[in-house]
Amino acid sequence: MSDADTSSIGHDRLKRLMKRGTDFLGCEVAILGGAMSWISERSLVSALSNAGAFGVIACGAMTPDLLDTEIAETKKRTDRPFGVNLITMHPQLMELIDVTRRHAVSHVVFAGGLPPAGSIDRVKEGGARLICFAPALALAKKLIRSGVDALVIEGMEAGGHIGPVSTSVLAQEILPEVATDVPVFVAGGIGRGGLIAGFLEMGASGVQLGTRFVCAHECIAHPNFKKAFIRASARDAIPSVQIDPRLPVIPVRALRNREMEAFSAKQIEVAKLLDEGKVEMAEAQLQIEHYWAGALRRAVIDGDVETGSVMAGQSVGMVKKEEPVADIIRTLVDEAALALERRSA
């Protein structure tokens, strides 16, 4: 059998396994771009969609006006579908949903907790498909009952805010139970196509990758930020430590630097304000979130990789060079097809 024959067998099988995901997303390859604040903006998002994958704008702390501009600018760069990731704790969530409705955005992703009352209906009434993060099986089932169209299950190997359970365990826990009900996309620690193939065979409709795309040519991250990724190994991407048990802090995975130490000091400072009654718990948590947003911007935009937060998943060790988005997608697809072809031999 020739290489062309084996290649076509693997690619055909990959296409079949991804069909539910590609049909749902309206793209050619069921790979969602992970929404990374300051990084997943018009340039990278449009490049992902133009390359056949599915770009997702990271709204983060944007105001409705800023999001309106970002969506409009992304539309100028691609005529293919893309999504918008909204943080459920955003104080202007409903207004942000209305912005996505005005632009007829095809898919909305909710991250950061359970959707507040009315938010799911607001998205669905606008005609968009809604994707939510499910950190546990019980929540996955609850979200499906609430009318969510698809799920992302993300393990602790991911960059940025993380939960306590690994991707492999979440996939085993959740996929057999709900993958027949709605499309499920697996995320966290995925750096090569062989693993994509494995999750598809387990019942996933597709995957989500963030770290792998940071060193794309089309990514606007500062050269220093990209160099830090290329130099790093998996062991350099560590979770932040919670200092005070009274101050619940969702761990953040980032490359080890002075900033990770400074965050401990910031937690002590905020905990002291709590002790003194100078801030309420909600305000304390908001201060922590704003701290992370500022630290991330310093690293991504300004290139300060020592006192900024270099958020990265453990798959960072597989990021070896800067290259075009289309090449990264092609490599992942070819690796996945080859793995499937070998397993079917």
Side-chain angles (χ1 to χ4, degrees):
M1 186 178 286
S2 71
D3 288 345
D5 290 335
T6 56
S7 173
S8 64
I9 289 170
H11 281 87
D12 287 348
R13 187 153 183 241
L14 178 64
K15 194 172 182 179
R16 287 198 303 274
L17 286 171
M18 279 189 170
K19 188 176 189 309
R20 190 181 185 195
T22 53
D23 286 351
F24 175 78
L25 297 171
C27 60
E28 297 158 30
V29 183
I31 296 178
L32 285 159
M36 301 171 283
S37 292
W38 305 111
I39 291 173
S40 299
E41 49 72 72
R42 63 194 74 168
S43 177
L44 182 58
V45 170
S46 60
L48 282 163
S49 290
N50 286 335
F54 192 84
V56 179
I57 294 171
C59 175
M62 285 184 195
T63 62
D65 283 347
L66 282 174
L67 180 61
D68 183 76
T69 300
E70 201 57 47
I71 295 172
E73 289 297 325
T74 304
K75 280 183 160 183
K76 288 178 186 176
R77 291 160 172 78
T78 184
D79 57 3
R80 299 191 181 189
F82 61 87
V84 174
N85 179 297
L86 302 176
I87 306 299
T88 54
M89 68 177 73
H90 196 296
Q92 293 177 288
L93 178 63
M94 293 302 188
E95 294 96 317
L96 294 168
I97 292 171
D98 289 343
V99 172
T100 67
R101 288 177 58 160
R102 284 200 301 274
H103 282 281
V105 170
S106 62
H107 296 69
V108 171
V109 183
F110 277 169
L114 282 172
S119 60
I120 291 178
D121 290 341
R122 190 86 151 241
V123 171
K124 301 292 287 289
E125 286 162 6
R129 290 177 164 183
L130 180 61
I131 306 169
C132 283
F133 280 77
L137 178 58
L139 285 171
K141 290 181 174 178
K142 179 180 174 65
L143 288 165
I144 292 169
R145 289 196 301 271
S146 301
V148 167
D149 298 300
L151 300 173
V152 175
I153 56 175
E154 182 178 71
M156 67 179 297
E157 299 94 324
H161 290 87
I162 56 171
V165 182
S166 73
T167 305
S168 60
V169 171
L170 279 180
Q172 292 174 84
E173 178 189 18
I174 296 175
L175 285 174
E177 298 284 341
V178 304
T180 55
D181 300 324
V182 296
V184 180
F185 299 86
V186 179
I190 302 172
R192 297 198 195 281
L195 187 56
I196 295 174
F199 287 131
L200 291 170
E201 288 180 315
M202 287 177 68
S205 294
V207 293
Q208 176 184 284
L209 281 73
T211 297
R212 189 70 176 81
F213 296 119
V214 167
C215 289
H217 285 323
E218 297 89 345
C219 175
I220 64 159
H222 194 282
N224 291 351
F225 195 85
K226 293 183 179 182
K227 282 176 192 167
F229 267 56
I230 291 167
R231 285 196 302 260
S233 72
R235 290 162 185 78
D236 296 321
I238 59 171
S240 57
V241 177
Q242 182 177 328
I243 298 298
D244 192 318
R246 295 164 308 154
L247 186 62
V249 174
I250 299 171
V252 167
R253 188 177 297 284
L255 298 185
R256 189 193 313 269
N257 65 358
R258 289 211 308 272
E259 172 54 32
M260 291 298 267
E261 296 163 15
F263 178 55
S264 297
K266 178 65 179 179
Q267 289 183 71
I268 293 168
E269 174 196 320
V270 174
K272 188 166 182 286
L273 293 175
L274 264 177
D275 283 343
E276 295 168 355
K278 292 180 179 176
V279 295
E280 298 293 324
M281 180 61 76
E283 168 61 23
Q285 289 178 294
L286 206 57
Q287 278 196 30
I288 296 291
E289 286 306 308
H290 285 158
Y291 177 86
W292 275 125
L296 183 59
R297 190 187 191 286
R298 282 199 305 278
V300 174
I301 305 299
D302 302 334
D304 182 352
V305 294
E306 274 306 316
T307 68
S309 175
V310 187
M311 292 189 188
Q314 289 185 313
S315 62
V316 69
M318 287 168 259
V319 178
K320 302 295 187 186
K321 60 183 178 181
E322 193 170 353
E323 56 188 324
V325 161
D327 288 1
I328 299 171
I329 298 290
R330 193 177 304 113
T331 298
L332 292 168
V333 166
D334 288 346
E335 288 172 348
L338 180 61
L340 291 169
E341 185 274 319
R342 283 174 173 166
R343 291 206 273 267
S344 65

mmCIF file of all heavy atoms in Angstrom, residues 167-184:
data_model
loop_
_atom_site.group_PDB
_atom_site.id
_atom_site.type_symbol
_atom_site.label_atom_id
_atom_site.label_comp_id
_atom_site.label_asym_id
_atom_site.label_seq_id
_atom_site.Cartn_x
_atom_site.Cartn_y
_atom_site.Cartn_z
ATOM 1 N N THR A 167 -7.109 16.197 32.211
ATOM 2 C CA THR A 167 -7.902 16.020 31.001
ATOM 3 C C THR A 167 -8.276 14.553 30.792
ATOM 4 O O THR A 167 -9.421 14.233 30.453
ATOM 5 C CB THR A 167 -7.113 16.517 29.773
ATOM 6 O OG1 THR A 167 -6.716 17.880 30.004
ATOM 7 C CG2 THR A 167 -7.949 16.460 28.510
ATOM 8 N N SER A 168 -7.323 13.648 30.985
ATOM 9 C CA SER A 168 -7.588 12.230 30.726
ATOM 10 C C SER A 168 -8.674 11.683 31.648
ATOM 11 O O SER A 168 -9.513 10.878 31.232
ATOM 12 C CB SER A 168 -6.302 11.405 30.878
ATOM 13 O OG SER A 168 -5.787 11.531 32.192
ATOM 14 N N VAL A 169 -8.688 12.130 32.897
ATOM 15 C CA VAL A 169 -9.708 11.670 33.842
ATOM 16 C C VAL A 169 -11.073 12.270 33.489
ATOM 17 O O VAL A 169 -12.093 11.570 33.467
ATOM 18 C CB VAL A 169 -9.312 12.008 35.297
ATOM 19 C CG1 VAL A 169 -10.462 11.728 36.258
ATOM 20 C CG2 VAL A 169 -8.076 11.221 35.697
ATOM 21 N N LEU A 170 -11.110 13.574 33.191
ATOM 22 C CA LEU A 170 -12.371 14.208 32.817
ATOM 23 C C LEU A 170 -12.971 13.546 31.579
ATOM 24 O O LEU A 170 -14.182 13.316 31.505
ATOM 25 C CB LEU A 170 -12.151 15.703 32.520
ATOM 26 C CG LEU A 170 -12.076 16.656 33.707
ATOM 27 C CD1 LEU A 170 -11.865 18.085 33.209
ATOM 28 C CD2 LEU A 170 -13.334 16.585 34.562
ATOM 29 N N ALA A 171 -12.115 13.253 30.603
ATOM 30 C CA ALA A 171 -12.601 12.627 29.366
ATOM 31 C C ALA A 171 -13.236 11.269 29.663
ATOM 32 O O ALA A 171 -14.300 10.938 29.123
ATOM 33 C CB ALA A 171 -11.454 12.471 28.377
ATOM 34 N N GLN A 172 -12.598 10.484 30.538
ATOM 35 C CA GLN A 172 -13.148 9.169 30.881
ATOM 36 C C GLN A 172 -14.436 9.284 31.693
ATOM 37 O O GLN A 172 -15.342 8.467 31.578
ATOM 38 C CB GLN A 172 -12.124 8.369 31.694
ATOM 39 C CG GLN A 172 -10.892 7.966 30.915
ATOM 40 C CD GLN A 172 -9.867 7.314 31.815
ATOM 41 O OE1 GLN A 172 -9.931 6.119 32.077
ATOM 42 N NE2 GLN A 172 -8.931 8.101 32.306
ATOM 43 N N GLU A 173 -14.498 10.324 32.523
ATOM 44 C CA GLU A 173 -15.661 10.523 33.385
ATOM 45 C C GLU A 173 -16.876 11.018 32.593
ATOM 46 O O GLU A 173 -17.998 10.546 32.801
ATOM 47 C CB GLU A 173 -15.315 11.554 34.480
ATOM 48 C CG GLU A 173 -16.481 11.885 35.406
ATOM 49 C CD GLU A 173 -16.186 13.054 36.332
ATOM 50 O OE1 GLU A 173 -15.249 13.822 36.063
ATOM 51 O OE2 GLU A 173 -16.918 13.195 37.322
ATOM 52 N N ILE A 174 -16.631 11.950 31.666
ATOM 53 C CA ILE A 174 -17.744 12.669 31.042
ATOM 54 C C ILE A 174 -18.134 12.145 29.659
ATOM 55 O O ILE A 174 -19.320 12.010 29.350
ATOM 56 C CB ILE A 174 -17.417 14.184 30.975
ATOM 57 C CG1 ILE A 174 -17.302 14.740 32.406
ATOM 58 C CG2 ILE A 174 -18.485 14.939 30.198
ATOM 59 C CD1 ILE A 174 -16.870 16.197 32.486
ATOM 60 N N LEU A 175 -17.161 11.819 28.810
ATOM 61 C CA LEU A 175 -17.490 11.429 27.430
ATOM 62 C C LEU A 175 -18.467 10.249 27.329
ATOM 63 O O LEU A 175 -19.451 10.337 26.587
ATOM 64 C CB LEU A 175 -16.209 11.134 26.639
ATOM 65 C CG LEU A 175 -15.399 12.354 26.202
ATOM 66 C CD1 LEU A 175 -14.081 11.919 25.559
ATOM 67 C CD2 LEU A 175 -16.188 13.227 25.222
ATOM 68 N N PRO A 176 -18.249 9.143 28.053
ATOM 69 C CA PRO A 176 -19.177 8.014 27.908
ATOM 70 C C PRO A 176 -20.603 8.342 28.338
ATOM 71 O O PRO A 176 -21.558 7.703 27.900
ATOM 72 C CB PRO A 176 -18.577 6.934 28.824
ATOM 73 C CG PRO A 176 -17.151 7.330 29.018
ATOM 74 C CD PRO A 176 -17.148 8.820 28.984
ATOM 75 N N GLU A 177 -20.749 9.349 29.196
ATOM 76 C CA GLU A 177 -22.063 9.670 29.762
ATOM 77 C C GLU A 177 -22.864 10.646 28.905
ATOM 78 O O GLU A 177 -24.095 10.559 28.860
ATOM 79 C CB GLU A 177 -21.880 10.274 31.168
ATOM 80 C CG GLU A 177 -21.229 9.347 32.161
ATOM 81 C CD GLU A 177 -22.184 8.280 32.680
ATOM 82 O OE1 GLU A 177 -23.418 8.469 32.544
ATOM 83 O OE2 GLU A 177 -21.706 7.258 33.198
ATOM 84 N N VAL A 178 -22.191 11.599 28.240
ATOM 85 C CA VAL A 178 -22.952 12.674 27.582
ATOM 86 C C VAL A 178 -22.608 12.904 26.108
ATOM 87 O O VAL A 178 -23.274 13.692 25.438
ATOM 88 C CB VAL A 178 -22.785 14.022 28.343
ATOM 89 C CG1 VAL A 178 -23.200 13.887 29.798
ATOM 90 C CG2 VAL A 178 -21.351 14.540 28.250
ATOM 91 N N ALA A 179 -21.576 12.224 25.596
ATOM 92 C CA ALA A 179 -21.128 12.520 24.227
ATOM 93 C C ALA A 179 -22.173 12.181 23.166
ATOM 94 O O ALA A 179 -22.117 12.683 22.048
ATOM 95 C CB ALA A 179 -19.820 11.793 23.922
ATOM 96 N N THR A 180 -23.126 11.319 23.509
ATOM 97 C CA THR A 180 -24.193 11.029 22.544
ATOM 98 C C THR A 180 -25.296 12.087 22.594
ATOM 99 O O THR A 180 -26.093 12.204 21.659
ATOM 100 C CB THR A 180 -24.819 9.644 22.805
ATOM 101 O OG1 THR A 180 -25.254 9.587 24.163
ATOM 102 C CG2 THR A 180 -23.812 8.533 22.544
ATOM 103 N N ASP A 181 -25.327 12.872 23.679
ATOM 104 C CA ASP A 181 -26.375 13.889 23.841
ATOM 105 C C ASP A 181 -26.034 15.197 23.135
ATOM 106 O O ASP A 181 -26.881 15.794 22.471
ATOM 107 C CB ASP A 181 -26.617 14.168 25.333
ATOM 108 C CG ASP A 181 -27.054 12.926 26.097
ATOM 109 O OD1 ASP A 181 -27.797 12.114 25.506
ATOM 110 O OD2 ASP A 181 -26.651 12.769 27.256
ATOM 111 N N VAL A 182 -24.809 15.659 23.309
ATOM 112 C CA VAL A 182 -24.364 16.915 22.679
ATOM 113 C C VAL A 182 -22.911 16.759 22.228
ATOM 114 O O VAL A 182 -22.192 15.905 22.755
ATOM 115 C CB VAL A 182 -24.451 18.121 23.665
ATOM 116 C CG1 VAL A 182 -25.877 18.406 24.087
ATOM 117 C CG2 VAL A 182 -23.543 17.900 24.878
ATOM 118 N N PRO A 183 -22.459 17.572 21.277
ATOM 119 C CA PRO A 183 -21.035 17.536 20.932
ATOM 120 C C PRO A 183 -20.187 17.958 22.134
ATOM 121 O O PRO A 183 -20.531 18.907 22.842
ATOM 122 C CB PRO A 183 -20.924 18.575 19.809
ATOM 123 C CG PRO A 183 -22.311 18.729 19.271
ATOM 124 C CD PRO A 183 -23.223 18.509 20.437
ATOM 125 N N VAL A 184 -19.094 17.229 22.356
ATOM 126 C CA VAL A 184 -18.179 17.547 23.458
ATOM 127 C C VAL A 184 -16.780 17.748 22.880
ATOM 128 O O VAL A 184 -16.281 16.917 22.119
ATOM 129 C CB VAL A 184 -18.147 16.418 24.510
ATOM 130 C CG1 VAL A 184 -17.192 16.788 25.648
ATOM 131 C CG2 VAL A 184 -19.544 16.152 25.067
#
